[in-house]
Amino acid sequence: FIRSLFTFEAFDLAKTYDRVLYLDSDMLVMKDISELFSLSARIAVTPDAGVYNIQIPYDTFNGGFLVIDKSTAQSDYRNKLLDTALKMGDLRLADQSVMNAYFKNSVDYLDSRYNCLKRCFPDEKFSSFDDKIKIIHFVGAKPWHKEKISNERRYSRLESIWKEYYTLCSVKI
């Protein structure tokens, strides 16, 4: 049992809804993303960027962000992905590994501003991309964890954004 394989359930939601936007629970939406609901893509993803540059093409995607169109509903992707997982055996990144293997070259890529991976933004680089980011993905150590590994302190600017949003949403009534 691997919890992250529940990501595959998002594909079954396409049987009920016109478009499904799947976001990992460690993501923070910063700007309007309503344009995602009018895409023409069957499945849209974002790069699994090791070095952040919204212009560089990548050949693997991050499993924490998916836009799934209703046209995929008849494809039974959930079960096909589970079958692929059983055959693969090596599930280091679990859902992401399986989806990248199964959907190789058959998804549409959006740029990284829709899934800005925290580890691509040490504080010294963050300000040059700040106004472009639509969604921040807090991969690695989470901002709500009190203990930090020393190299995670490099992302204090991104983590301060999460803390600001948390404070705004935590107003006691």
Side-chain angles (χ1 to χ4, degrees):
F1 176 73
I2 300 172
R3 288 184 305 232
S4 70
L5 297 183
F6 280 118
T7 302
F8 302 160
E9 299 296 324
F11 289 93
D12 272 357
L13 292 172
K15 296 173 183 173
T16 306
Y17 300 100
D18 290 340
R19 185 159 318 272
V20 174
L21 173 61
Y22 171 84
L23 301 175
D24 271 357
S25 60
D26 60 350
M27 297 174 88
L28 178 63
V29 177
M30 302 288 298
K31 294 186 179 186
D32 181 13
I33 56 170
S34 60
E35 68 274 9
L36 295 175
F37 293 97
S38 58
L39 293 175
S40 60
R42 286 175 41 93
I43 301 170
V45 298
T46 56
D48 190 33
V51 177
Y52 193 88
N53 183 330
I54 43 186
Q55 304 305 319
I56 293 176
Y58 291 86
D59 65 351
T60 59
F61 61 89
N62 182 271
F65 174 97
L66 300 166
V67 182
I68 306 166
D69 185 71
K70 68 179 174 184
S71 63
T72 65
Q74 301 307 312
S75 300
D76 195 25
Y77 283 133
R78 183 180 69 78
N79 287 329
K80 290 176 182 176
L81 288 164
L82 288 171
D83 288 343
T84 301
L86 289 172
K87 291 175 188 167
M88 284 180 64
D90 177 15
L91 297 175
R92 281 175 281 145
L93 295 174
D95 58 339
Q96 183 168 308
S97 299
V98 173
M99 289 187 294
N100 271 281
Y102 185 84
F103 291 118
K104 184 107 179 125
N105 301 319
S106 63
V107 292
D108 291 308
Y109 279 84
L110 301 175
D111 64 51
S112 297
R113 74 188 76 217
Y114 292 101
N115 186 2
C116 165
L117 306 181
K118 176 189 86 172
R119 288 194 171 155
C120 296
F121 278 105
D123 287 347
E124 66 274 7
K125 291 184 180 179
F126 180 75
S127 61
S128 62
F129 294 100
D130 193 1
D131 63 331
K132 296 176 180 79
I133 297 170
K134 292 197 175 234
I135 302 172
I136 298 173
H137 192 168
F138 290 97
V139 295
K142 309 306 177 202
W144 50 89
H145 292 157
K146 293 182 178 165
E147 295 297 317
K148 295 285 181 236
I149 322 170
S150 61
N151 67 341
E152 291 290 325
R153 292 186 182 108
R154 301 171 47 207
Y155 312 105
S156 62
R157 174 64 185 116
L158 277 174
E159 294 203 353
S160 70
I161 291 171
W162 181 87
K163 290 173 184 169
E164 288 171 28
Y165 274 82
Y166 178 78
T167 301
L168 286 172
C169 295
S170 300
V171 176
K172 305 249 191 265
I173 299 177

